[in-house]
Amino acid sequence: MKADPLLPLYRDQHGAGAGRDRLELLAALIEGPVFDPLFRGEVIRVPAGHPVFRWACLVGRCARPRKGSLEMCHVQYEQWGRAQACGEGMAAFLAAAQPLSPSVWVEQVPCRVCPGRPATHTRWRLCHRHYMRWYRRQREGQDGFEEWLAGQVPLNGYGPCRVAVCPDLAATPLGLCAGHESRYQTQGRPGGAALPPAWSRSYEVRGLPVPVALADREQFGAWCAAQPPVPWPGQIILAGLAPLPAAEIRWGLFAHTQRERHTRWDAGWVQALVNTCRTRGTVSLTELDLSSCTTFAAMVAREMLHDLRLAYFTPEASRDAGFIETDHFGVRFPERGSHFDLTGIDQRWLRDLLWDYLAGLLSSPDCPRTGGTFDAFRRAATELGAFLAVDAPGGGQDPAQLAAAHIHRFAADQRHREREGLASLVMRRQDGTPSIVTTTTRAITFNHARKLLRWALDCGAAEQAGLSRQFITAMPGAGPTLLRKRSPFPDEVARALADEASLARLAEVHDPADFGLRDIWETIIVTGRRVSEVLHLRLDCTGRYGGLAMLWHDQTKVGRYDQAIRIPEPLFSRLAARRETTVSRFIARHGRAPAPAERAAMALFPGRYRNPDGTAAVTYQWFHLRFKAWVDELDIGRWVPHQARHTLATSLLRHGATLTHIRRYLGHVSDRMAEHYIQ
């Protein structure tokens, strides 16, 4: 794991005074009226049922914390496993499950009698001395706890725990809380701190001070200074942090709660990040080497750094730093983050042109609906910049030295790479391998580079940068490209893709967590819907109308919403079963059934990540990668899901449907698309 590549941008933004300015900024935000007071303290205690940082057991009124990554406490989870093995559903289990009383402490609680001492018994909430007194009274056959409690005299406490960052009370005269005393014993008692044998009876009961032996006071003090706090469910301790990272973490926690779709953060992951910062003396999260963090702490830090980037950088500062944040303009593209990195473009003038153009798009009424447009412009500028870096004088840094010849050589190089199937100079695939220049990628590069440069010429940005008109006008368009229509599946391929054994393997091997991969594919091949139309089906997308099974979907590509088509009974039953699975998972996460308003917004195929309310569907990339792996495994050649749509259209045509019927049923934009099936 490497450090965030954007960390130098934070460090260089304001120079030496950056830390002071950032602390003042965050302090103003934290003291603002919209900031949740829960996160202002040095010790943050999150309520058990917090909507974002919940740590309570899912079973209603169960007083025990959930176990690790599980949604229930250990006992309830074991009971759920047995119920599930008997075929019981989550909703029925949660309705019948009995809440459990506390079995472990979830935070230190003071004794009911002496507030200076911690309680040691979860039921009676008494310190050790008073619990033993009550125990002996019970052994003698006497009860009446409240009467006995009223007659007890408070005992002096032992003060706070000597560990510098621990807010708890010491449990013994040694000066350590129960958790740190146990840790001290486990680690070999550095410094040799010890109490006399039977110290309570020998000294405390007699009213004498308890002596503490110390072989090496400095070593014991160093141990106390270096120890992290004892972990408690839902507790985050910021003591010992420098002011700036403490403020950054407070802001990061609050910003995380403001996301509509958020990842899961456990308090322990945040505390691990705090402990790392404290141990390393970190002066800001922007200085932290994320490779020194645990996996989950690094994940938390990266998300916090994103929110800090929005706070620390104005749009103008992000332009200088070489990135653009769509959140600065109030725009967030579907299934995309806010951050678009432009640092891959070497030439500052070209990068600034692209930033200005993209900022104009974000502020325009015609702002793109998806991030694909931004990707295309970034690719074009990156390809052009990479070529100029090796071909133009001075790496193309001075636009005044660029001429039409440089564009001519760039276009020739792109066409050569397309023709020979060579890799791009700079672009990489998601797996890190070089991206091959194809007809499509070359056309994207030409068209978007030309559009960007022409815009610069028209608005005067080119003249201001010193870019010549000849250089701009030399940039060619993509020209005509061969557009190959997708053919229907051949009969043998169609049989392989609908074979029961193949479909079973699609579900078992490529979707072991059962997010509906097989259901999605069967819906596509039966109905001929576009992949996106199936992926984004709502939870209650099926119903009976006049006794007929119907599927309701949105044809967003052609601007049609709430379109209904008839579907066969097997598909109707399959989607009904998927609906029950989706609702059951919602119940498993929240401990209750979705409310009517929540149900109306839920996706039939909800994604796993950043999706607590189930409103976001699985992504096309998720489906495509698994479908491709399945097709490759079948060894039937290269096929894409969209060809199922063409296969259904030819089948309809063969059975007497007209082009008008096909166009209406499949939601085509024009008759030309439908006419493809008879050519």
Side-chain angles (χ1 to χ4, degrees):
M1 184 183 299
K2 299 180 179 179
D4 192 328
L6 293 173
L7 295 188
L9 304 181
Y10 294 97
R11 300 183 184 121
D12 298 338
Q13 184 193 5
H14 296 302
R20 182 179 62 255
D21 295 341
R22 293 169 182 168
L23 182 57
E24 291 176 355
L25 170 65
L26 292 178
L29 292 173
I30 290 170
E31 293 302 321
V34 299
F35 190 86
D36 190 342
L38 173 67
F39 304 111
R40 285 185 178 139
E42 191 172 69
V43 179
I44 299 171
R45 292 185 172 90
V46 181
H50 193 275
V52 177
F53 298 110
R54 179 182 64 83
W55 52 268
C57 176
L58 189 65
V59 174
R61 300 185 307 282
C62 182
R64 301 184 183 185
R66 67 185 185 188
K67 180 74 172 178
S69 62
L70 306 177
E71 296 294 338
M72 306 177 192
C73 66
H74 183 69
V75 174
Q76 300 282 14
Y77 185 76
E78 287 185 343
Q79 293 177 358
W80 158 239
R82 291 191 290 270
Q84 190 178 32
C86 296
E88 186 175 351
M90 175 62 76
F93 170 77
L94 291 176
Q98 296 299 313
L100 302 175
S101 59
S103 63
V104 295
W105 293 111
V106 296
E107 62 179 340
Q108 191 185 69
V109 176
C111 173
R112 291 190 186 189
V113 180
C114 33
R117 296 192 179 194
T120 59
H121 194 280
T122 56
R123 178 183 177 186
W124 302 109
R125 284 181 51 196
L126 296 171
C127 66
H128 181 71
R129 285 277 305 279
H130 281 106
Y131 173 68
M132 293 307 299
R133 291 178 182 178
W134 170 241
Y135 176 74
R136 286 192 293 268
R137 180 181 174 88
Q138 286 182 302
R139 289 284 301 270
E140 294 169 359
Q142 302 181 49
D143 52 12
F145 178 74
E146 295 299 332
E147 294 80 359
W148 172 86
L149 186 66
Q152 297 304 300
V153 178
L155 303 173
N156 293 329
Y158 306 114
C161 179
R162 292 190 183 186
V163 171
V165 298
C166 183
D168 292 339
L169 297 171
T172 68
L174 194 63
L176 299 175
C177 66
H180 279 116
E181 187 162 348
S182 175
R183 188 183 298 172
Y184 185 66
Q185 297 279 359
T186 303
Q187 295 181 9
R189 308 182 65 83
L195 296 173
W199 57 268
S200 180
R201 292 195 304 272
S202 303
Y203 292 89
E204 194 172 54
V205 172
R206 296 162 58 189
L208 300 175
V210 181
V212 179
L214 270 176
D216 189 331
R217 185 177 299 275
E218 290 186 2
Q219 187 181 18
F220 178 66
W223 183 88
C224 291
Q227 288 304 298
V230 173
W232 292 107
Q235 182 169 281
I236 302 168
I237 299 174
L238 303 179
L241 281 184
L244 181 56
E248 290 173 334
I249 290 174
R250 288 188 181 97
W251 179 252
L253 289 168
F254 170 70
H256 189 67
T257 65
Q258 302 306 295
R259 292 195 179 103
E260 181 181 5
R261 298 182 58 194
H262 53 77
T263 55
R264 172 176 172 174
W265 287 5
D266 283 349
W269 303 350
V270 182
Q271 188 64 61
L273 174 62
V274 173
N275 295 344
T276 301
C277 292
R278 183 189 301 113
T279 302
R280 296 184 171 274
T282 303
V283 297
S284 170
L285 286 184
T286 63
E287 303 287 337
L288 180 64
D289 180 5
L290 299 186
S291 63
S292 64
C293 302
T294 63
T295 300
F296 292 117
M299 179 199 75
V300 171
R302 289 184 187 279
E303 293 195 36
M304 286 185 174
L305 285 171
H306 166 73
D307 292 316
L308 291 172
R309 190 164 56 231
L310 293 173
Y312 287 162
F313 288 88
T314 63
E316 294 74 18
S318 70
R319 182 179 187 267
D320 293 336
F323 64 89
I324 190 167
E325 292 283 349
T326 63
D327 280 349
H328 277 149
F329 300 85
V331 175
R332 180 64 72 92
F333 296 124
E335 300 173 4
R336 297 294 294 268
S338 166
H339 183 76
F340 278 82
D341 184 15
L342 307 179
T343 55
I345 304 168
D346 289 335
Q347 298 77 16
R348 176 60 188 268
W349 63 268
L350 181 56
R351 193 175 71 199
D352 286 350
L353 282 183
L354 178 60
W355 194 98
D356 292 340
Y357 183 80
L358 297 181
L361 287 180
L362 290 170
S363 304
S364 168
D366 298 324
C367 179
R369 291 183 298 127
T370 68
T373 300
F374 276 45
D375 291 332
F377 276 105
R378 179 170 57 182
R379 181 186 187 105
T382 304
E383 290 276 20
L384 177 58
F387 182 82
L388 294 177
V390 298
D391 181 79
Q397 297 294 338
D398 183 4
Q401 298 186 43
L402 301 178
H406 296 105
I407 287 293
H408 293 155
R409 289 196 293 272
F410 169 67
D413 178 74
Q414 284 285 304
R415 290 191 176 105
H416 171 71
R417 293 175 185 276
E418 172 197 355
R419 184 170 58 253
E420 301 298 331
L422 301 177
S424 163
L425 278 174
V426 65
M427 301 305 295
R428 294 289 183 270
R429 298 190 181 100
Q430 286 188 342
D431 59 5
T433 59
S435 174
I436 303 301
V437 178
T438 64
T439 300
T440 300
T441 61
R442 190 265 307 161
I444 289 173
T445 298
F446 278 17
N447 283 337
H448 289 81
R450 178 183 173 87
K451 191 170 185 177
L452 175 63
L453 293 175
R454 290 281 182 168
W455 167 84
L457 182 64
D458 294 340
C459 72
E463 182 180 359
Q464 185 177 1
L467 204 60
S468 71
R469 182 182 182 87
Q470 291 75 18
F471 176 84
I472 294 174
T473 56
M475 185 69 223
T481 56
L482 180 62
L483 181 61
R484 294 187 181 275
K485 298 290 187 179
R486 294 289 186 185
S487 61
F489 292 132
D491 290 348
E492 62 276 10
V493 172
R495 284 193 292 269
L497 294 177
D499 177 71
E500 178 59 33
S502 298
L503 292 173
R505 185 165 181 81
L506 174 65
E508 295 169 5
V509 176
H510 300 282
D511 186 21
D514 189 24
F515 281 89
L517 185 61
R518 174 175 176 172
D519 295 346
I520 293 169
W521 175 236
E522 289 204 35
T523 304
I524 291 172
I525 60 178
V526 170
T527 66
R529 299 303 95 186
R530 298 177 180 89
V531 175
S532 62
E533 293 171 359
V534 175
L535 296 182
H536 293 93
L537 289 174
R538 296 292 93 191
L539 183 68
D540 295 315
C541 61
T542 59
R544 292 191 181 277
Y545 302 87
L548 301 176
M550 305 290 285
L551 173 71
W552 292 84
H553 64 289
D554 295 336
Q555 298 176 0
T556 55
K557 184 175 181 179
V558 293
R560 298 174 184 167
Y561 295 88
D562 292 330
Q563 297 294 302
I565 58 171
R566 286 188 59 182
I567 56 175
E569 288 296 330
L571 179 61
F572 184 86
S573 300
R574 176 171 289 278
L575 295 182
R578 172 54 49 184
R579 178 166 53 249
E580 293 304 314
T581 299
T582 300
V583 171
S584 178
R585 286 180 172 170
F586 183 96
I587 295 173
R589 180 158 192 164
H590 298 277
R592 58 176 177 81
E598 292 174 316
R599 187 181 180 98
M602 287 175 63
L604 181 63
F605 304 105
R608 171 183 294 178
Y609 301 106
R610 299 190 179 192
N611 196 22
D613 54 4
T615 58
V618 294
T619 64
Y620 180 82
Q621 182 183 34
W622 177 88
F623 173 78
H624 173 73
L625 291 176
R626 286 156 181 77
F627 181 84
K628 183 178 182 300
W630 177 56
V631 171
D632 292 344
E633 184 182 87
L634 295 177
D635 195 23
I636 55 177
R638 294 187 60 184
W639 306 96
V640 297
H642 194 72
Q643 288 172 273
R645 185 172 169 84
H646 297 261
T647 304
L648 179 62
T650 56
S651 178
L652 292 173
L653 187 67
R654 186 172 61 251
H655 286 82
T658 66
L659 291 181
T660 300
H661 290 137
I662 294 174
R663 177 189 176 189
R664 182 176 180 83
Y665 181 78
L666 295 181
H668 281 143
V669 178
S670 65
D671 282 328
R672 180 183 60 82
M673 298 178 66
E675 289 169 357
H676 166 67
Y677 302 121
I678 62 173
Q679 295 175 359

